[in-house]
Each structure stands twice: as structure tokens, then as C-alpha cells.
Amino acid sequence: MRKINCIGVLTSGGDAPGMNAAIRAVTRTALFNHMQVKGIYHGYHGLINDEVFEFRSENVSNIIQRGGTILKTARCPEFRDYEGRRRAYDMLRKEKIDALVVIGGNGTFSGAREFGDEFDFPIVGVPGTIDNDLYGTDSTIGYDTALNTIVRAVDQIKDTAESHERLFLIEVMGRDAGFLALNGALATGSEAAVIPEIATSEDLLEHLIQNGFRKRKKSSIVLVSESDATGGAQGVAKRLRENGYEPHVTILGHVQRGGTPTASDRVLACRTGVAAVDALLEGQRGCMIGIKDDQIVYVPFSEAIKGEKPLDHHLIDILRVLCI
Ligand code: F6P
């Protein structure tokens, strides 16, 4: 095993609240272990273009509570080509970086896997995405904060929905995963969640909405995951309008990605950030740090990105029971 003297850290893909806490954890753990740390700005794009700066402890002071990422982030098409990855490798050598910690989601880890295999380079991942769609970890950094943001927004929409006795369809993020929509619906007492993993027929949806109004509920709220599979809130609204409903649509959008990370996301970021550096020191590579049943686990990148993270179908049953 080659000795690691210098670790590079970057954030890539969509930002997520708690990424800063993870950057801090990685930086301080590396410094604690007498290694040098280099912060790489703008993800893989910054790696290719040498946006690399040495980090000291004070570079990560007072950031644990801040949303976004101080390292900035980007989606980098160049890194999908061999030529881009080759330039990234040359840059790592020039900067004398011996190992990388990448903080991000699916796209970040598929790039890391390809790069690590091609250039025999040690990389460990920290799960950072509001979507919670990475297999092998119970939660991802940013998910809890985004869920709480959704809950706050839905609570507010409920006030006006109730006053006007309206039906609202609220679209939430999640790419192709329904964790935010399903748990958001549960936490706000919504009528239903339309998610990509489980088909919701028009009949069932209308039944759930009618059920609420029959029980003299004053408003009706349905959370819809953004996804081709659901058609998003606009797609569901179109179908409901054809059947005589008058739904109002709210798309929460990027408000879900910002804000102060919750305590839970900060703790997750601290634990996985520290574990990422420890893993590299133990000779681990090509894997994501996960937490399963409160234990740190190493999940090969191939599993983290390809394995389908199961959604607890029991939650759907609970939602139906509780909205009668
Ligand atoms: O992966 C995080 C996420 O916020 C998804 O939920 C969403 O589909 C996507 O990123 C939006 O990406 P962008 O900010 O690049 O439009």
C-alpha cells in the first residue's frame, strides 16, 4: 500500500446541506493524521483545470452550520471522456495528491469508479445528495434537511389550501426516487404521495382525494415526485383536470436544496467524513462510506450506484391508514 501524504477533497453534482460539515470532517481528520489536505473547487471540472488549494484547519472554521458547499460544485461532462480523466490524473500528480475523497451522489461515484479503476487511484466517497437514492446507506447527507424544508413548505401551503378549500399538488425533488415525497407526505398528513417506485392509478388517487373531502376535510394535499414515471405535478394535474378537478400546482424546486443543515445531517456528515479518511488510511478504495443500522459500512461504488435502494412499502400502507 502506497503511503498517503496528501488527500484531495471535492464536492460534485447537486449540492446538499451538510456537505460543508463533511468537508470540515475530511479536512480535520486528515490534518489530525499529519497529512496535507487540498481542497478542489468545482468538482471534477476544477480538478481538470487545477482549481486546487491547500487547506488548513481555519479554511473549514465556522462552516458546519452552512448550507451549500464552500468548495462549489459542478456537473462535469468532460470527466465522462477518457481524455478529461487523463487530464485530471495529470493534475493529481502535479499537485502531489495521493488519494481523493469525493462528496456527492450517483454521478459523482460513477465518475470516481471509472477513474479509480483506470488509473489505479485510491478514492473513497461520502454520500451527499438530498435524494437519498444511494444503495447501502440508510441516509444521505442533505436528505433530512430537504425533508424538513418540504415539511415546512407543505405546512404553509396547507394554511392557504384549508382557507380556500383547495386541492394542491406539490412537486418535490428526488430525481427518480420517492423518499422525499413519501416521507414528506407522511410527515404532513397529506392525502397521498405519487412516487416513481409504485404506480398510483387515477382511480386510486381520485378515491383518496374524494375520501378526504367526504370526511369533511377542508383541503387536500398530494405530494408528487419529479420523475418521468409520475409525469410530475403538472402531469398529474392535467389528468385530474380532465376528470373535473381543479388542482393547484406548486413546484418546490431548488428551495429544497438550500438552508442550514439539520443536526442529523451534520452528525451524518461528521461520521462519514471521518470514516472516509480512516478508510483510505486502512487501504480501502473504490467504495462509498455508508451507515447501516448505526454502523459504518464500506459499499463498493458499483453497488452504491447500481443497487436499487428499497423504499419501505409499509410506509404507503401507513399513509393510507392515517389519511382516512
Ligand atoms: O440530485 C439532486 C437533485 O436536486 C435532484 O433531486 C434533481 O433532479 C436534480 O438534482 C436537479 O439538478 P440541477 O440543480 O442541476 O437542475
Side-chain angles (χ1 to χ4, degrees):
M1 195 177 92
R2 256 183 327 209
K3 186 166 185 296
I4 299 175
N5 294 311
C6 175
I7 285 186
V9 57
L10 61 81
T11 50
S12 163
D15 61 345
M19 279 183 163
N20 282 327
I23 296 167
R24 171 181 176 272
V26 170
T27 302
R28 295 224 164 133
T29 311
L31 293 173
F32 181 84
N33 286 286
H34 312 291
M35 287 182 276
Q36 210 185 1
V37 190
K38 292 197 174 172
I40 300 159
Y41 284 75
H42 297 112
Y44 296 126
H45 179 81
L47 180 56
I48 293 170
N49 294 290
D50 203 11
E51 294 182 57
V52 180
F53 299 88
E54 181 161 1
F55 265 25
R56 304 193 187 284
S57 190
E58 54 272 26
N59 288 96
V60 293
S61 287
N62 202 24
I63 65 166
I64 195 167
Q65 76 282 21
R66 284 170 55 191
T69 159
I70 60 158
L71 284 175
K72 315 295 176 197
T73 184
R75 304 194 194 273
C76 178
E78 283 160 282
F79 202 68
R80 291 197 197 115
D81 298 333
Y82 176 79
E83 196 37 48
R85 293 194 294 274
R86 169 92 242 164
R87 282 175 58 201
Y89 181 67
D90 291 344
M91 216 46 87
L92 286 170
R93 294 192 58 152
K94 172 177 170 274
E95 292 289 346
K96 298 191 169 29
I97 294 173
D98 306 307
L100 271 182
V101 174
V102 295
I103 307 168
N106 272 303
T108 306
F109 295 162
S110 64
R113 185 181 66 136
E114 201 145 15
F115 181 84
D117 289 350
E118 245 164 23
F119 296 97
D120 187 23
F121 197 84
I123 310 183
V124 166
V126 169
T129 166
I130 65 162
D131 300 339
N132 196 29
D133 59 349
L134 291 164
Y135 179 84
T137 186
D138 290 336
S139 189
T140 56
I141 297 164
Y143 169 66
D144 185 62
T145 307
L147 186 57
N148 278 285
T149 301
I150 289 168
V151 167
R152 273 196 306 277
V154 174
D155 285 348
Q156 289 186 211
I157 291 170
K158 258 183 131 168
D159 288 344
T160 172
E162 186 100 347
S163 306
H164 287 268
E165 306 190 344
R166 282 173 170 164
L167 162 63
F168 268 82
L169 303 178
I170 303 172
E171 183 176 299
V172 301
M173 281 186 169
R175 208 176 289 271
D176 285 318
F179 295 97
L180 287 170
L182 181 54
N183 287 294
L186 259 181
T188 52
S190 297
E191 271 39 71
V194 181
I195 57 175
E197 292 87 344
I198 300 163
T200 310
S201 69
E202 298 309 308
D203 285 354
L204 175 61
L205 188 56
E206 287 178 29
H207 168 76
L208 293 168
I209 294 167
Q210 283 302 333
N211 217 17
F213 284 126
R214 261 201 305 275
K215 302 257 159 43
R216 294 178 188 277
K217 274 195 175 173
K218 294 282 176 276
S219 64
S220 204
I221 306 273
V222 175
L223 263 59
V224 183
S225 293
E226 58 159 12
S227 162
D228 289 344
T230 62
Q234 295 292 9
V236 176
K238 185 166 177 284
R239 296 195 293 273
L240 285 173
R241 280 191 196 110
E242 282 160 10
N243 291 341
Y245 290 83
E246 291 177 8
H248 281 63
V249 170
T250 302
I251 296 175
L252 290 186
H254 286 80
V255 71
Q256 295 163 91
R257 284 232 300 258
T260 304
T262 59
S264 166
D265 274 333
R266 297 184 201 191
V267 171
L268 179 61
C270 290
R271 290 183 67 188
T272 51
V274 170
V277 176
D278 288 347
L280 284 168
L281 289 173
E282 278 170 22
Q284 296 287 339
R285 50 164 66 195
C287 63
M288 174 193 85
I289 304 297
I291 297 190
K292 273 284 205 199
D293 301 325
D294 213 30
Q295 299 297 316
I296 293 284
V297 289
Y298 302 146
V299 188
F301 281 141
S302 54
E303 274 179 39
I305 55 185
K306 291 251 170 59
E308 185 122 326
K309 182 165 183 171
L311 190 117
D312 185 355
H313 286 217
H314 186 48
L315 296 181
I316 297 265
D317 301 335
I318 295 180
L319 186 60
R320 303 237 166 106
V321 170
L322 295 183
C323 78
I324 58 167

